[in-house]
Amino acid sequence: MNLVFLGPPGAGKGTHAEILSKEKRLVHLAAGDILRRNVKEGTELGNQAKSIMARGELVPDALVNDMMFAEIRSLKAKGSEGFILDGYPRTIGQAEELDRFLTREKMSLTAAVNFDASEAVVIERLSGRRICAVDGKIYHVRNMPPKTEGICDCHGQPLLTRKDDQPETIKTRLAVYHESTKPLIDFYFRKGILRHVAADGDAPSVQKMLEKLFENTR
Ligand code: ADP
């Protein structure tokens, strides 16, 4: 099964993609994580994307498309059972290119899951989000705290706040979401593959809804 996770930043796409991908043996491809890895490694793509990401704007479609197509191709070569695309596509242009790419590769999307989260919840989640510097594992100061405040459970390293989780940048990311990404809900509705998950609740209840949606799908 091949899934796309849609929703505003902070809706919980990454958290739930991580859990569902393990349960269903899918590969979790998070566009933001792959971009951040490129920034960290100082690749050409990373250098092009760095300041755009820090401002909370979108990296140009052509760059992100090529990056994601390479990832999907490598999964196909490894014979994986499917993938969850998290944070991709994020524009109508990306969604159209993804469609063409999948058709060429004789693949298709099983569903696009929209994480419905209210603006207030999203802002609260993003401003309290902390990440592990080693593997990017996500925590939240209140909703998902580490065992020791400010320290990663797995690596014992201090947790970081993402540069783009500053209040001003959160505002930009939400504006970009409304302008460029929200139209994808209608795009996938028209294709007949849109599913909804109410994403304001706590992580276990959202996860339950998600599992219910796909309990009989492989
Ligand atoms: P979030 O979903 O919480 O905003 P991500 O980690 O998915 O965060 O993305 C972080 C940043 O990476 C985005 O603000 C944007 O600059 C860039 N990015 C991620 N995915 C895409 C994409 N599909 N197209 C363009 N830019 C992207």
Side-chain angles (χ1 to χ4, degrees):
M1 122 167 114
N2 296 326
L3 303 177
V4 162
F5 278 10
L6 296 175
K13 303 183 296 290
T15 300
H16 295 287
E18 199 54 36
I19 305 173
L20 191 71
S21 60
K22 290 206 174 96
E23 284 177 5
K24 296 278 186 183
R25 298 208 287 146
L26 306 172
V27 180
H28 174 197
L29 294 177
D33 289 349
I34 302 168
L35 284 168
R36 274 185 291 278
R37 200 164 67 224
N38 275 277
V39 170
K40 206 166 162 187
E41 289 169 1
T43 66
E44 192 175 334
L45 168 64
N47 293 338
Q48 285 172 297
K50 188 174 179 177
S51 59
I52 302 174
M53 292 173 72
R55 289 196 300 273
E57 294 165 8
L58 291 183
V59 177
D61 285 358
L63 296 179
V64 181
N65 287 336
D66 285 350
M67 172 185 94
M68 295 306 286
F69 297 166
E71 295 281 336
I72 297 170
R73 264 196 214 102
S74 80
L75 296 183
K76 204 181 163 200
K78 286 182 210 142
S80 110
E81 295 197 23
F83 54 72
I84 301 178
L85 302 180
D86 158 18
Y88 178 84
R90 245 176 161 101
T91 64
I92 294 284
Q94 291 178 15
E96 287 172 345
E97 277 301 316
L98 173 65
D99 259 5
R100 285 194 272 273
F101 167 79
L102 292 174
T103 306
R104 281 199 302 276
E105 299 287 323
K106 301 193 170 40
M107 299 168 95
S108 61
L109 293 175
T110 314
V113 183
N114 181 44
F115 284 68
D116 269 322
S118 65
E119 194 112 332
V121 166
V122 156
I123 292 172
E124 202 270 334
R125 284 185 190 158
L126 293 175
S127 46
R129 178 158 71 180
R130 301 290 180 272
I131 55 166
C132 167
V134 181
D135 66 359
K137 184 172 168 6
I138 301 165
Y139 295 86
H140 188 280
V141 288
R142 261 188 309 283
N143 310 335
M144 233 189 287
K147 292 191 186 96
T148 310
E149 196 184 320
I151 302 291
C152 171
D153 293 345
C154 306
H155 302 89
Q157 300 285 326
L159 293 174
L160 306 177
T161 302
R162 265 170 47 179
K163 265 210 190 75
D164 58 352
D165 281 343
Q166 312 295 340
E168 270 312 299
T169 320
I170 290 175
K171 252 194 228 156
T172 307
R173 285 160 64 205
L174 286 172
V176 168
Y177 167 75
H178 284 289
E179 161 106 20
S180 304
T181 310
K182 215 172 165 191
L184 292 180
I185 297 175
D186 191 49
F187 179 90
Y188 287 115
F189 172 74
R190 285 163 192 270
K191 291 194 173 291
I193 60 167
L194 184 71
R195 315 302 295 265
H196 283 282
V197 164
D200 272 355
D202 59 15
S205 67
V206 175
Q207 189 60 31
K208 232 181 246 155
M209 277 186 271
L210 196 57
E211 281 162 13
K212 193 121 207 99
L213 273 186
F214 296 110
E215 63 190 349
N216 298 318
T217 319
R218 283 177 50 103

